Amino acid sequence: MRRLLPLCIFFAISFCFVNAQTSIDKIIATIGKEIILQSDLEQAYAEYSAQFTVKDEDEDERCMVLEHLVYTKLMLHQADVDSIVVTEQQIEATLNWRMNYFMQVAGGDSRLIEKHFGKSMAEIRKDMREVVRDQIYIEEVQNSITSNIAITPSEVKSFVNKLGIDSMPVVPATYEFGHILKTPPVSEVEIADIKAKLESYREQALRDDNPKNRFSMLARLYSDDPGSASKGGDLGFVERGVLYPEFEAVAFNLKSGEISHVVKTRAGYHIIMLHERRGESIKLSHILIQPKPSAEAQVNAIEYLDSVKQVIKDNKMEFSEAALLFSEDPNRLSGGWVINPYSLSTKFDKESLDQATFATLDKLISGELSSPIVYINDDGVLSYRLLYLKSKVAPHKANLVEDYDVIKNAALEEKKNSALEKWVVNKVKVTSIKIDEKYKNCDFVIRWQIN
């Protein structure tokens, strides 16, 4: 079970890209209504071997992969028993996050991603959908088991003592930084042009014999939403509370087949088409155009940040004071320090930074400011920013003084994994599970006491 966490990451990212098995083959395990085919195991093992460079056939490794598959199916079985509901919006949000992550890793070049997987971005997204859905189900079940588990300081110390100093993991280099943000304004002429374009697209769709198809084609051609443009602007079924408030206020008041006039949100300007209502959910598409500042406005933003940098360099103002006065980011109220969304701390490692930010920070020394660099936020808005490196900690063995939060999280994860292990052993006793005779000697079959 301690190995399930890295395996979950591996399967969530790569398992969906294995070619689907179309022929009927042998069932090697059943967990309630869920089944595992021999081909499922072979494909998963092949991916695992390639990912972690397993050169020779290793039955222990194969058993570990099968353990993950059985664990996954047991969780999906429990999700069905608990009647857990996963919405299309949850799937879309996770898919968008995953695709954006791939784009960050690839430096924004989708061709590298397509070359790696041998598929188009649309095909990758389609193949990933089912895996993402299952992953959300699994996370919901896991959270129901572990959400009330906490860790005490004494348990953290016991965790360290059990591991031993020599066995403590190496903590990668971490960075703490702040930024001062400047967003170039967009001219009224540009905004008027965007609104005119969107109203033109609306009229084209409404005049067509098949408005839905015309709207879909226009979204593919002109929408700036990377998550939906390739799908004709389709956002699937959504419920209230998941989209921009201004967007929802218009979308939920549309009639089936109706197309809205222009709607403004933080992401830009939209027109929305409603396709269907289903209870409290609506199925809709949109076309988004994001305003783009002129070259002159961008140059002015860079010059503005250069002047702010000079003020700080001349010791006329501390960084946090300058961030409060000059930055346009809401985090200026806390001194301009950037929070890691994954850990909710101020510390970032290389993996939690986009390539451009990492490349800039890695060249700075503590207390140094960068030159203005391009920054595109989660809404796709183009800005420029100064980066200020507050501190950089070199790679080192984890210790309770510098890395208490990291160690605490590791101890908490081990405690949660132990709880999951106990849950699995108890759940196996009351669940119909059958494993092929060939795998009866796998460690997990014995450990979980599967008959």
Side-chain angles (χ1 to χ4, degrees), residues 300-318:
N300 289 339
I302 292 171
E303 292 177 347
Y304 175 87
L305 290 175
D306 277 331
S307 64
V308 172
K309 178 180 179 180
Q310 194 60 49
V311 168
I312 298 171
K313 285 183 67 175
D314 292 343
N315 294 320
K316 295 178 180 178
M317 197 173 292
E318 295 291 332

Side-chain angles (χ1 to χ4, degrees), residues 160-386:
V160 172
N161 292 334
K162 182 175 66 176
L163 281 180
I165 298 299
D166 293 336
S167 299
M168 294 298 287
V170 173
V171 177
T174 56
Y175 306 81
E176 286 186 285
F177 69 99
H179 71 184
I180 295 175
L181 190 74
K182 179 66 176 177
T183 302
V186 178
S187 71
E188 291 299 323
V189 173
E190 167 74 4
I191 293 172
D193 185 52
I194 288 172
K195 290 179 178 179
K197 285 180 180 178
L198 287 171
E199 289 293 349
S200 170
Y201 300 154
R202 178 178 182 273
E203 292 300 320
Q204 289 181 50
L206 290 174
R207 287 197 304 265
D208 198 274
D209 292 337
N210 192 326
K212 181 178 178 181
N213 284 353
R214 172 65 68 167
F215 192 95
S216 177
M217 183 194 74
L218 291 168
R220 292 176 190 276
L221 289 173
Y222 303 116
S223 181
D224 288 331
D225 180 3
S228 70
S230 63
K231 300 182 296 177
D234 184 19
L235 295 175
F237 280 94
V238 298
E239 299 174 348
R240 291 186 184 275
V242 296
L243 299 173
Y244 296 112
E246 317 93 293
F247 190 101
E248 288 186 355
V250 174
F252 278 87
N253 283 313
L254 293 174
K255 298 175 182 177
S256 293
E258 189 177 2
I259 302 174
S260 76
H261 290 284
V262 177
V263 179
K264 180 184 177 181
T265 70
R266 293 200 313 270
Y269 295 84
H270 318 246
I271 53 174
I272 310 162
M273 183 173 191
L274 181 68
H275 301 297
E276 181 185 347
R277 288 184 182 274
R278 187 180 296 173
E280 296 299 316
S281 300
I282 56 174
K283 189 177 191 300
L284 68 160
S285 301
H286 79 141
I287 298 174
L288 165 69
I289 298 182
Q290 294 176 317
K292 298 171 181 62
S294 66
E296 181 183 2
Q298 294 184 55
V299 169
N300 289 339
I302 292 171
E303 292 177 347
Y304 175 87
L305 290 175
D306 277 331
S307 64
V308 172
K309 178 180 179 180
Q310 194 60 49
V311 168
I312 298 171
K313 285 183 67 175
D314 292 343
N315 294 320
K316 295 178 180 178
M317 197 173 292
E318 295 291 332
F319 169 79
S320 290
E321 186 181 357
L324 180 62
L325 288 176
F326 302 120
S327 182
E328 295 178 358
D329 191 351
N331 78 338
R332 70 184 185 277
L333 299 176
S334 60
W337 307 119
V338 180
I339 302 299
N340 187 334
Y342 305 105
S343 64
L344 300 181
S345 73
T346 57
K347 294 183 178 180
F348 293 76
D349 60 18
K350 180 180 179 180
E351 299 305 318
S352 55
L353 293 168
D354 64 84
Q355 289 187 341
T357 302
F358 170 74
T360 302
L361 290 174
D362 201 46
K363 294 175 183 176
L364 299 176
I365 60 174
S366 296
E368 188 177 7
L369 272 166
S370 74
S371 297
I373 62 171
V374 173
Y375 174 67
I376 299 176
N377 69 13
D378 292 338
D379 295 318
V381 177
L382 183 146
S383 303
Y384 289 87
R385 64 177 178 172
L386 298 173

Side-chain angles (χ1 to χ4, degrees), residues 4 25 31 42 70 87 116 134 221 224 249 282 312 332 345 357 365 392 394 406 422 432 436 442:
L4 280 176
D25 59 1
I31 303 92
E42 296 309 319
V70 172
T87 66
H116 178 76
D134 287 350
L221 289 173
D224 288 331
I282 56 174
I312 298 171
R332 70 184 185 277
S345 73
T357 302
I365 60 174
K392 176 181 177 181
V406 174
K422 292 177 182 177
S432 175
D436 190 279
C442 283

Side-chain angles (χ1 to χ4, degrees), residues 22-57:
T22 56
S23 60
I24 298 175
D25 59 1
K26 182 180 180 182
I27 295 175
I28 59 171
T30 60
I31 303 92
K33 297 177 182 178
E34 305 286 339
I35 66 169
I36 299 172
L37 301 176
Q38 183 70 48
S39 60
D40 294 334
L41 176 58
E42 296 309 319
Q43 291 170 354
Y45 182 73
E47 280 290 312
Y48 174 80
S49 298
Q51 181 95 355
F52 297 100
T53 320
V54 179
K55 296 180 180 179
D56 302 317
E57 286 288 319

